[in-house]
Amino acid sequence: MSLWTSLEPASSTVDPGGSTKVRLRLRNTGDVVDEYRFEPVGDVAPWTVVEPQTLRLYPGTTGTVELTFAPPRSPDAVAGPNPFAVRITPTEHPEATTVPEGNLTITPFTEVRAELVPPTVKGRFRGRPKLAVDNLGNTRLTASVSGSDNGDHLSYDIHPSNVQIEPGRAAFVKATLKPRQIIWFGSKEQRPYTLAIQRSGTGPQPVEGTYVQRGFLPRWLATFLGVFMALAITFVMLWIAYKPQVHTSATEKLQEAGISTLPPSPSTSAAPLTPPSPSAEAPVVPSAPETQAASGSGGGGGGSSETKPKESAKPQEDTAATAVTQLAAQDPGRHICYRAYLTDKGWTKPVCDGAMAGTVGEDRPIKSLNLATSDTDGTAATAFVYYPQSTDGKGHYNGPWKGVVDGADLYIGSTKKDDPYMLGFAMNVGESKSVVCQTTHVHNEGWHGLACDEPGGDNYIFGGTLSNLLWLEAVKFTV
């Protein structure tokens, strides 16, 4: 081998979001002038910059190359030791490749984002919100969840009360809120409450929500019953106080005239008449007028009538729901169909079960997604979009989760011209039957690896990127 190399230092430490540099020294120990190309390899290669990328050395001379490591502050930069290497390829002897190796330790950081879904719940006896907890750090998150409110108006049943979340994943915590006192009559009342996430060694992270407690019986019904009872009591009292006395002298007059007051004996011919039964004839609906032929087989003199042509029906839009319905009819089972709304281009045709929706290499961001599933107990999703007011270089979720049943269209994002484009999305499918898998193509990053959520419905999978400098270009889904 005609090359000597040395990494200075061979091990280094860097904070996510920061950078560090390692010097690579090399000497041409051969007898010819050679040019060397440098290429970073390993898990940290996407965050590694080599300067210069090529170096020309005379025999016996030494050169220096600088490696700059800048891992992002995201779950992708896994905390702990990460091996790295640089492939050195000589131009004169390409087969004599040298790969010096080193070790880069990434420091841990913790970042938690929590959101109530929905933030406001309503009910007479209970409310069932969900707390979505995202682990945006690069270490496993272990935390407990508790509930509280001013005045102690509510009781809390939280499951699970303790969570462990891997980096880049999320978990849903189910909460059941029960009022301690039932409102039998009257208007609804708002009960602000707080679910707190407590991590070891840190203060609690509160997430505020509102429980709207409705009355068991509405106020108008109570008023109606009170008025009705008052009127009923008034009517009974008047009936008792004023009872008309009816007298007749007809019997006395008949007796004076010698006429019997006994009723005559019944006659067999005096049977009562049966009332006529209601007619069973249905009303006659006039039929539409028919166009007579111009040959005139009847009376003469009449001109032929012309019929107006019917307006052609507007063709139905080919959505993800129509596509998955047709596919499930031909091949029953679990399917997912989807299409993408592209900037300055509009909707693509629906595709299904792992096919690509979107474009690659055209710098055309996705603004909205339309999804539909079959035999998965429905699906739910939300869009992560570009956020121009961001202070940390990341986008944000533009609205609450949306859910639909099997065979129905689910839309996330927006097709409006001035609304932001999508950076990514979060989604899951029903609670018992299936999981959803996805892979995404992100601008300047290419295709990301295949990732799936976990069965049970409370977990979801995130696809795309968090960075405001990138955008979503194409997607593939399977169930």
Side-chain angles (χ1 to χ4, degrees):
M1 182 177 294
S2 61
L3 183 65
W4 170 86
T5 62
S6 174
L7 286 169
E8 299 176 357
S11 297
S12 183
T13 302
V14 64
D15 296 328
S19 63
T20 188
K21 296 183 179 181
V22 173
R23 179 181 300 172
L24 172 61
R25 297 180 60 202
L26 64 161
R27 180 186 300 119
N28 183 359
T29 59
D31 53 3
V32 296
V33 178
D34 210 342
E35 186 178 62
Y36 303 94
R37 295 192 304 271
F38 305 94
E39 179 185 2
V41 293
D43 293 338
V44 299
W47 319 318
T48 307
V49 177
V50 182
E51 293 180 348
Q53 295 182 351
T54 61
L55 185 63
R56 187 177 182 86
L57 293 177
Y58 289 91
T61 60
T62 302
T64 301
V65 174
E66 196 172 67
L67 308 178
T68 302
F69 301 98
R73 187 177 175 85
S74 71
D76 297 330
V78 181
N82 293 269
F84 70 89
V86 180
R87 183 186 294 118
I88 306 174
T89 305
T91 304
E92 296 296 332
H93 303 283
E95 70 282 355
T97 301
T98 303
V99 185
E101 298 181 357
N103 187 70
L104 179 68
T105 301
I106 300 177
T107 60
F109 77 95
T110 303
E111 183 175 347
V112 180
R113 178 182 296 171
E115 180 182 5
L116 277 170
V117 182
T120 301
V121 291
K122 301 177 181 180
R124 293 180 174 84
F125 304 107
R126 64 183 57 85
R128 293 189 175 95
K130 288 184 178 181
L131 180 65
V133 184
D134 298 86
N135 183 5
L136 303 180
N138 62 352
T139 59
R140 175 183 292 181
L141 169 67
T142 301
S144 61
V145 182
S146 60
S148 62
D149 62 278
N150 293 330
D152 196 24
H153 297 294
L154 304 173
S155 63
Y156 303 87
D157 182 11
I158 300 174
H159 180 77
S161 58
N162 297 281
V163 293
Q164 284 190 345
I165 309 173
E166 296 297 328
R169 302 303 298 269
F172 278 91
V173 177
K174 295 181 179 179
T176 302
L177 315 177
K178 294 182 179 180
R180 299 187 184 277
Q181 293 183 349
I182 298 175
I183 302 176
W184 294 104
F185 294 97
S187 60
K188 58 187 178 183
E189 294 186 10
Q190 293 189 354
R191 311 285 191 192
Y193 68 95
T194 301
L195 295 183
I197 303 172
Q198 179 68 57
R199 292 176 288 151
S200 177
T202 63
Q205 180 175 338
V207 182
E208 297 181 351
T210 302
Y211 171 63
V212 179
Q213 184 180 359
R214 295 169 173 163
F216 182 74
L217 294 176
R219 175 176 291 180
W220 66 265
L221 181 59
T223 303
F224 173 79
L225 291 177
V227 172
F228 177 79
M229 290 298 296
L231 291 176
I233 293 173
T234 302
F235 177 78
V236 172
M237 296 300 295
L238 291 175
W239 177 263
I240 295 175
Y242 179 73
K243 185 176 181 180
Q245 301 293 330
V246 180
H247 297 279
T248 178
S249 60
T251 303
E252 297 175 356
K253 296 295 183 180
L254 290 174
Q255 289 177 352
E256 292 178 358
I259 301 174
S260 175
T261 60
L262 296 176
S265 60
S267 174
T268 57
S269 62
L273 296 176
T274 303
S277 60
S279 173
E281 294 180 1
V284 178
V285 179
S287 60
E290 300 180 355
T291 304
Q292 296 181 353
S295 56
S297 59
S304 63
S305 62
E306 298 181 358
T307 60
K308 294 183 180 180
K310 294 183 178 179
E311 296 182 358
S312 60
K314 184 178 180 181
Q316 185 177 1
E317 184 180 6
D318 195 7
T319 66
T322 58
V324 81
T325 301
Q326 296 172 1
L327 180 58
Q330 299 172 2
D331 181 18
R334 291 194 293 269
H335 299 285
I336 182 170
C337 295
Y338 43 93
R339 57 178 182 153
Y341 188 92
L342 306 179
T343 303
D344 299 329
K345 190 172 182 179
W347 286 109
T348 64
K349 291 183 181 267
V351 295
C352 303
D353 296 341
M356 185 186 81
T359 59
V360 174
E362 297 184 13
D363 293 339
R364 199 180 293 275
I366 291 177
K367 296 196 66 175
S368 178
L369 287 175
N370 169 212
L371 307 101
T373 59
S374 67
D375 198 27
T376 65
D377 285 344
T379 182
T382 185
F384 192 79
V385 301
Y386 171 74
Y387 185 42
Q389 289 81 27
S390 174
T391 58
D392 58 359
K394 300 177 183 178
H396 72 144
Y397 289 101
N398 69 336
W401 279 70
K402 301 177 183 178
V404 296
V405 298
D406 285 338
D409 279 311
L410 173 62
Y411 291 91
I412 60 175
S414 174
T415 60
K416 295 181 179 180
K417 181 178 180 181
D418 296 332
D419 284 356
Y421 51 80
M422 291 180 59
L423 307 181
F425 56 85
M427 69 176 298
N428 65 2
V429 291
E431 296 186 355
S432 61
K433 287 192 174 183
S434 181
V435 298
V436 60
C437 298
Q438 58 80 26
T439 180
T440 57
H441 189 281
V442 176
H443 177 67
N444 284 344
E445 289 188 353
W447 285 104
H448 288 191
L450 181 69
C452 306
D453 71 341
E454 298 179 2
D458 285 341
N459 292 286
Y460 72 81
I461 189 68
F462 180 86
T465 178
L466 301 176
S467 174
N468 256 341
L469 302 178
L470 306 175
W471 57 76
L472 187 65
E473 291 186 333
V475 294
K476 298 177 182 178
F477 296 102
T478 55
V479 291

